[in-house]
Structure formats: C-alpha cells, structure tokens
C-alpha cells in the first residue's frame, strides 16, 4: 500500500470543484472523504482520541489515532456500521481556508495537528467540515457522504508517528474502498487468497523454515524441506552462471573497519550495519554487502583489457540491521544470502554486458515460472559522483538493454543513487502482485575509491566500469515470493518431495520401499508413508503437503510382473497403474523441462 504522507492529508492547499472529475481523481476523493468519516466516528466513540493523519491509499484509506485504549475487532465492526449510518445521511463536505492562528486555537488539544501546522506555517491552511466534524485538510473531497463508494474496515495496526520509533506509537485503522461492490469483492477475495498463500503460514504448515526470537530476530532457520528447495534453486543458479561466463567466488563474512571506510559504507550505511567486534585491537564489521570483497579479488592481480569483462558471482550471506517493526517473515530479515555479482568491464563492453544481464535475468525468472515483468529506470540525481557524460552513457546503455529485452519501463527521473543509475525489475505473481527482485546498478564511485585499474590496448592504465547486479535479490526473499506465487505447490523440479509411496497395508511397505529406492537411485526425491493410517488419510495428508505425485501400492501392484504403482497427482487426477520405469521416465522429463 502507498502510505507516504502527502499534502492532501496535512492541511495545506485548497478545495477544487468536483465537477467532471476523471474516475481516478473521483476515486481518490472518495477514499479521502471516507478517511474523514472514519475519524469522525472514532472521535465520537472515544472523545479523548488524538488525531494524526488520514490519507487515501491505493486500495482505500487509513487514519492514525492515539487512543486511550486498544481497538478490538468488535470496535472495528461498530466503526464500520456507524460509518455506513453517517454516509447514508448525505452530509455535505465543506472546505475553507483558515488563518494559522485560528487553526492553532481550534486544534490546541491535538498535538499532531499542531505539529503539522508548524510544518506548513506560511502555506495556505484549510479545514474540511461535515456533520459537525472538522479536520485540518488540504481538500479534495466528494460533495457529500452518499457519494462515497463501497468500503470495508479491514484491520488496525501499529504505526509510529512520522515513522519514527522514538515518537508515539499510534493505532492505524485501515479501510478498503473501490468504485463498485464487484471491485471491492474481487479485492477481498484476492486478499483471502493471499492469506492462504502467506509464506509465513505455508512455511510453518509445510515445515520449510522457522524464525526464533530467542536465537535472534530476523535470522532464518531453513528446515530440511526448505533447504532442499533452496539447494535446487542454488544448483540451477550456479550452473546458469558458469554457463554465462561468470566465475564463482566465496568471501568472508566480516572485514576490518578500514575496508568499510574505503568503500564508504561507514560514511553512508553505518546505521544499517551491526556494531563492530574487536579482534586484536581492531574493529571488524559483519558485511552488509559483498562488493568490497569482490573488489579485493579484482585488485589482487594486475589486470589487462584482455581479461575483461571479469564477472564475479557469489551466493554471499550479508547482515543488515533492520528495525524490529519492519521485519516481515522472509521478505525483510537481518541475515540473508544475496545472489550477487559484479562485472568489471571496459567502457566499450558495458552496453553489451547490461543487455546480457537483463536477458539473463528474464530467462532465469521465466524458468522459475514468472512471465510478466515491469521495469523501472532510475536516472542521475541532483547530487551525484561521476561526469555527466559518463552518466549519459550508462543511462543510454540501460535504456537500450530494456528495449532489446522488449520490456516496458517507467523512468524515475533523478531517482538513481549518487553513485550510478540502475534498473529494477519486478515480477508479477499469480495474484497479480508485483515483487521487486532484479537490480542492475552502475557504480562510478567504489572503483574510484579503491583505485581500480586495468592496462588497456594502448599500454596505459584505465579505470574499469563496475556493475553491481542481483537477479533473484536474495535467497530468503525469493523463496518467500516463490512460496506465495505457487501457494506452496512447487513445480516438480523444486518440490521437496517429488513422489510419495503410499502402501495400502503393512504387507505392502517393503514393496513400496523398493520402488522408492529405484526412484531415488534415478535422482528423484521419493519417500514412503509407513504410518498405520488408512490409504485415503495418507493421500489427503500428501495433498496437504503439496506432494506432486502419490504412488499407491496394494496387492495388485505388488503382484505385478514388473514394478508398478497406481499414480495420482496432487490436483486429484488419477493416471492409473503405470510401470515404475515409465513413471520414472515421465518424472525425469518433467524435471528436465522444469515445467
């Protein structure tokens, strides 16, 4: 959700006519107006409430409150009911400018509003009134409450004032609002499906990973089944990189403070780094990034243009401090493994390298089942290192790479880092949600700080271009995206258990084990359910565990002249009795094609 505070919820600006509004603007006004009705109702229920802000967001609206008690689910039901009652009364929204002194007097008992008035002192302040409720507001509302569209109060969450942990923690009440009941219902159904696919829930149910506060928040424990999926991802990643001309490297987990001073991390990134540990009287830091270590490998020898491009890749584990309130399952953690690479190349090589990185990324992501992509190009900010002409070359290379990959993209003018422009590539999952994974980042800064050089064809020394890139982002985040994309039902090549043997009775267990060994010998992941449960219960449990194939063994299969099993897929399809040799060939082909 888009939650950044903007001027419309601050109280600065002016009201505009709502006549002939385009649908997008009218929807924004409905959502903004609903936030006002929400604040009205909460203030009536809890007169001691302190009001913060209430902006429209891309799925509805929210309002932040400092309240004398925590809101309950019953409170949310009451709030929604009373909002509907108020909306039905056709209250008119009236906006008007207000002098600063009068605004301070009106909101003397509302500290958050007073802070906003201080922030926008000198600007045109405004208030919006309806049903006797008045809020400091920029404006932009529907004409009356009956024009507010279908909505639902969703939940309440904690939110620090101004996003600062040192400031008061508020209660944020969220509401969903859409132009039609159908669109609202579709959104709610999508949320319900997203909840079913939540990687934290499935990670627990499928025994893939866990997080333990007592061991350290934001540190991931990969269980055997999750570890098996990760191994398949990493094995494919390594093979693809070796075939793509990359050299695989391994680097330490921490380094001396001088390294991070040279790289600039202690100047620009220290708040995200863990406190140092003292070793032999010197400070060592856990690495937040792999790039300085790859640079050390480059600098270890005198380099010639004949060696370039040099592509160094690593599945490197890094450690970054994230505030406790920002961590979320595997999506945001404190220790994670980046699929990192750095490309050292000549200026003449840079465009073809970028084109290849984008192509490589799209190909890899498609292998994992993603077919829809969006891209963003971030360009030179006002404060930047490097010559403008160099930035132009880099940005042109990024644009041509996106064009050659036939990827539509948006430009974030001035949104690049101070040390170089970048491409961010997002995938669209099965629910239509976007996930940012790939980043391709130019760096005009770090190579200079470390004095990187190569001997050119002219015999003189030159500075190489440095390109940072991560295709999957990190193993942890990518695994979370995969879990939610597939709802835990991984394709065969990634599934932790690819086939489960289900003996109908105890007398069939040994036969089932022989078949499992045969499949395992061929390289397939098969196990045997030896529990004394009924066959249907075993099949149901295998389906709940998202096992792709269930292989039932009974008297008929055990008596067959050749090894045979009755084959069921997890989607319920019954393939009948198949010779094990034929089934094995079928599964191996499915794994090979990574379908």
């Amino acid at each position: 959700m888009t939650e950044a505070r903007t001027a419309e919820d601050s109280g600065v600006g002016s009201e505009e006519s709502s006549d002939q509004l385009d649908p997008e603007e009218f929807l924004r006004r409905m959502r903004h107006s609903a936030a006002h009705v929400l604040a009205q109702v909460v203030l009536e229920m809890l007169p001691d409430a302190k009001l913060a802000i209430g902006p429209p967001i891309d799925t509805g609206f929210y309002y932040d409150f400092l309240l004398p008690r925590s809101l309950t689910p019953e409170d949310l039901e009451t709030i929604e009911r009373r909002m509907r009652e108020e909306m039905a009364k056709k209250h008119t929204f009236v906006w008007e400018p207000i002098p600063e002194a009068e605004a301070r007097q009106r909101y003397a008992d509302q500290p958050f509003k007073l802070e906003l008035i201080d922030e926008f002192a000198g600007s045109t302040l405004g208030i919006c009134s309806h049903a006797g409720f008045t809020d400091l507001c920029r404006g932009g509302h529907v004409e009356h409450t009956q024009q507010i569209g279908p909505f639902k109060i969703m939940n309440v969450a904690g939110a620090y004032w101004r996003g600062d942990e040192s400031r008061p923690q508020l209660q944020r009440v969220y509401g969903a609002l859409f132009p039609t009941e159908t669109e609202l219902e579709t959104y709610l159904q999508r949320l319900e499906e997203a909840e079913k696919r939540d990687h934290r829930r499935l990670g627990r149910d499928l025994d893939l990973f866990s997080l333990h506060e007592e061991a350290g928040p934001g540190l991931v424990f990969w269980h055997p089944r999750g570890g098996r999926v990760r191994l398949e991802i990493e094995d494919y990643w390594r093979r693809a990189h070796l075939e793509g001309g990359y050299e695989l490297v391994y680097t330490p987990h921490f380094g001396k403070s001088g390294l991070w001073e040279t790289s600039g991390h202690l100047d620009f990134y220290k708040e995200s780094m863990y406190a140092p540990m003292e070793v032999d009287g010197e400070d060592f830091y856990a690495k937040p990034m792999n790039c300085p270590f790859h640079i050390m490998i480059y600098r270890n020898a005198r380099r010639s243009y004949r060696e370039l491009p040099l592509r160094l890749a690593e599945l490197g584990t890094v450690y970054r401090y994230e505030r406790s309130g920002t961590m979320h399952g595997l999506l945001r953690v404190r220790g994670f493994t980046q699929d990192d690479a750095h490309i050292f190349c000549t200026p003449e090589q840079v465009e073809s390298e970028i084109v290849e990185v984008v192509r490589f990324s799209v190909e890899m992501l498609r292998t994992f089942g993603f077919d829809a992509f969006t891209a963003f190009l971030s360009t030179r900010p006002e404060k930047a290192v490097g010559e403008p002409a160099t930035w132009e070359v880099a940005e042109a290379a990024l644009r041509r790479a996106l064009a050659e990959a036939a990827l539509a993209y948006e430009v974030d003018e001035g949104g690049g880092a101070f040390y170089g422009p970048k491409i961010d590539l997002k995938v669209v999952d099965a629910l239509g949600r976007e996930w940012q994974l790939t980043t391709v980042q130019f760096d005009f800064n770090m190579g200079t700080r470390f004095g990187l050089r190569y001997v050119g064809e002219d015999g003189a020394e030159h500075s190489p271009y440095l390109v940072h890139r991560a295709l999957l982002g990190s193993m942890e985040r990518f695994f979370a995206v995969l879990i939610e994309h597939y709802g835990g039902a991984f394709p065969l090549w990634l599934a932790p258990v690819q086939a489960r043997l289900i003996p109908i009775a105890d007398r069939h267990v040994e036969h089932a084990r022989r078949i499992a060994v045969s499949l395992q010998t061929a390289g397939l992941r098969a196990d045997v359910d030896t529990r004394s449960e009924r066959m249907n219960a075993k099949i149901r449990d295998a389906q709940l565990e998202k096992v792709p194939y269930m292989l039932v063994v009974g008297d008929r299969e055990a008596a067959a002249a050749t090894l045979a099993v009755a084959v069921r897929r997890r989607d319920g399809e019954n393939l009948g009795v198949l010779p094990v040799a034929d089934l094995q060939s079928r599964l191996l082909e499915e794994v090979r094609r990574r379908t």
Side-chain angles (χ1 to χ4, degrees):
M1 295 181 178
T2 303
E3 298 177 4
R5 186 176 61 82
T6 56
E8 53 259 83
D9 53 87
S10 307
V12 54
S14 61
E15 188 70 283
E16 297 176 357
S17 171
S18 60
D19 295 339
Q20 299 178 332
L21 294 173
D22 64 75
E24 184 176 342
E25 172 60 18
F26 190 71
L27 176 59
R28 190 196 69 80
R29 292 191 178 200
M30 285 197 293
R31 289 169 169 168
H32 190 191
S33 303
H36 279 242
V37 179
L38 167 60
Q40 171 207 344
V41 167
V42 171
L43 194 58
E44 289 172 354
M45 291 173 58
L46 299 166
D48 292 333
K50 303 304 179 186
L51 306 180
I53 58 172
I57 55 177
D58 58 9
T59 58
F61 57 94
Y62 71 78
Y63 210 107
D64 287 346
F65 305 94
L66 183 62
L67 301 175
R69 64 173 176 83
S70 298
L71 293 174
T72 66
E74 291 74 22
D75 288 327
L76 297 184
E77 292 176 5
T78 301
I79 289 170
E80 181 175 315
R81 174 178 56 78
R82 292 182 61 171
M83 285 180 66
R84 295 188 190 283
E85 292 171 355
E86 291 300 314
M87 290 176 182
K89 294 177 182 178
K90 200 175 181 178
H91 297 301
T92 301
F93 290 99
V94 178
W95 184 92
E96 58 184 336
I98 183 173
E100 184 178 322
E102 184 179 340
R104 292 185 187 281
Q105 182 179 1
R106 183 185 291 267
Y107 295 104
D109 64 342
Q110 292 288 342
F112 305 116
K113 299 298 183 184
L114 290 175
E115 186 172 330
L116 293 173
I117 293 170
D118 289 339
E119 181 176 342
F120 293 102
S123 303
T124 301
L125 297 174
I127 57 172
C128 183
S129 304
H130 79 280
F133 171 79
T134 300
D135 201 1
L136 190 70
C137 180
R138 183 187 184 185
H141 301 83
V142 293
E143 295 175 6
H144 54 77
T145 54
Q146 284 187 355
Q147 290 183 330
I148 297 174
F151 78 98
K152 181 174 179 59
I153 295 299
M154 301 299 296
N155 62 291
V156 60
Y160 291 105
W161 173 236
R162 315 306 282 269
D164 185 343
E165 288 182 337
S166 66
R167 307 298 300 275
Q169 185 173 36
L170 310 177
Q171 294 184 65
R172 175 170 294 176
V173 180
Y174 282 104
L177 189 151
F178 288 84
T180 66
E181 289 285 357
T182 299
E183 289 170 279
L184 176 61
E185 185 61 31
T186 298
Y187 171 71
L188 296 177
Q189 289 173 355
R190 184 174 294 179
L191 280 185
E192 184 179 352
E193 180 61 27
E195 185 176 352
K196 294 177 184 176
R197 292 170 177 252
D198 189 306
H199 73 279
R200 295 167 298 178
R201 173 182 175 178
L202 289 172
R204 179 190 65 246
D205 294 348
L206 301 180
D207 195 23
L208 300 172
F209 68 90
S210 59
L211 297 150
H212 301 274
E213 285 292 319
E214 61 269 33
L219 303 176
V220 181
F221 291 73
W222 293 76
H223 295 197
R225 290 182 181 178
R228 185 73 227 202
V229 181
R230 174 170 173 166
L231 179 63
E232 293 300 320
I233 295 170
E234 291 186 351
D235 282 352
Y236 167 72
W237 184 93
R238 289 187 182 94
R239 288 193 300 271
H241 278 74
L242 289 172
E243 292 169 2
Y246 286 80
E247 301 291 344
L248 302 186
V249 299
Y250 300 85
T251 60
H253 286 246
F254 54 90
K256 289 169 60 173
S257 60
L259 181 72
W260 307 110
E261 289 168 359
T262 302
S263 69
H265 286 93
L266 286 182
D267 291 331
F268 301 106
Y269 206 73
K270 189 174 184 178
E271 69 279 2
S272 295
M273 296 172 66
Y274 280 98
M277 50 187 158
E278 185 177 315
V279 180
D280 296 333
E282 296 190 82
D283 285 344
F284 283 72
Y285 287 85
K287 64 176 177 179
M289 297 183 184
N290 299 300
C291 34
F293 288 29
H294 292 188
I295 287 173
M296 290 294 98
I297 293 175
Y298 180 92
R299 280 206 333 182
N300 195 56
R302 182 177 171 83
R303 303 291 178 179
S304 163
Y305 73 95
R306 299 180 186 276
E307 300 173 66
L308 304 184
L310 177 62
R311 310 179 188 98
L312 301 181
E314 178 181 14
L315 291 167
T317 301
V318 298
Y319 304 90
R320 300 178 187 174
Y321 174 72
E322 299 284 356
R323 293 181 300 174
S324 58
T326 64
M327 289 183 289
H328 181 80
L330 300 184
L331 294 173
R332 194 156 189 174
V333 293
R334 289 177 172 171
F336 55 94
T337 300
Q338 286 187 304
D339 73 312
D340 217 350
H342 295 87
I343 301 172
F344 304 85
C345 60
T346 69
E348 296 76 21
Q349 296 166 335
V350 68
E351 183 174 327
S352 61
E353 287 299 304
I354 294 297
V355 168
E356 176 56 24
V357 166
V358 173
R359 184 208 64 77
F360 188 20
S361 177
V362 169
E363 177 185 297
M364 179 169 288
L365 293 171
R366 282 181 172 148
T367 298
F368 286 103
F370 299 102
D371 294 315
F373 307 90
T374 57
F376 298 83
L377 171 62
S378 300
T379 62
R380 188 176 189 269
E382 184 175 344
K383 294 183 178 180
V385 299
E387 295 299 321
T390 306
W391 276 81
E392 290 175 9
V393 170
E395 290 173 10
L398 295 177
R399 290 177 189 273
R400 282 191 285 270
L402 291 167
E404 190 157 328
L407 291 174
Y409 64 94
E410 297 179 21
V411 178
D412 180 9
E413 294 289 355
F418 75 93
Y419 52 82
K422 66 173 180 173
I423 290 173
D424 288 320
L425 193 61
K426 298 183 179 182
V427 298
V428 181
D429 74 2
L431 296 185
R433 301 171 298 179
E434 291 184 340
W435 301 90
Q436 198 274 309
L437 295 178
T438 299
T439 295
V440 185
Q441 173 79 65
F442 268 93
D443 190 339
F444 306 131
N445 180 57
M446 200 170 295
T448 300
R449 295 179 75 105
F450 281 96
L452 299 189
R453 311 293 284 171
Y454 70 93
V455 178
E457 192 172 4
D458 59 0
E461 289 193 335
H462 303 270
S463 298
Y465 273 36
L466 175 58
V467 177
H468 307 252
R469 48 111 291 192
L471 305 187
L472 307 181
S474 77
M475 288 296 109
E476 289 73 11
R477 178 177 171 81
F478 185 65
F479 190 40
V481 174
L482 274 184
I483 292 171
E484 299 203 6
H485 179 56
Y486 286 113
F490 298 108
L492 186 68
W493 75 281
L494 288 174
V497 178
Q498 295 169 322
R500 172 156 298 160
L501 276 296
I502 299 176
I504 294 177
D506 288 347
R507 64 181 178 275
H508 306 127
V509 169
E510 286 307 312
H511 189 70
R513 283 176 172 158
R514 286 197 299 272
I515 295 172
V517 169
S518 175
L519 296 175
Q520 292 164 0
T521 301
L524 294 165
R525 297 185 289 279
D527 65 13
V528 182
D529 188 340
T530 60
R531 298 175 301 158
S532 58
E533 299 282 348
R534 296 178 63 86
M535 179 190 73
N536 287 340
K538 294 179 179 181
I539 290 174
R540 183 189 65 248
D541 290 346
Q543 287 175 320
L544 290 174
E545 291 180 33
K546 318 289 188 183
V547 177
Y549 287 92
M550 287 145 280
L551 314 179
V552 179
V553 178
D555 289 337
R556 180 178 56 170
E557 291 76 26
T562 58
L563 289 178
V565 286
V567 183
R568 297 171 183 246
R569 291 169 52 91
R570 67 182 163 207
D571 60 9
E573 182 183 2
N574 191 336
L575 301 182
V577 177
L578 295 177
V580 171
D582 292 350
L583 174 66
Q584 179 177 296
S585 297
R586 175 187 180 130
L587 299 188
L588 289 173
E589 177 60 17
E590 190 175 334
V591 168
R592 186 191 67 80
R593 291 187 289 113
R594 297 192 179 92
T595 52

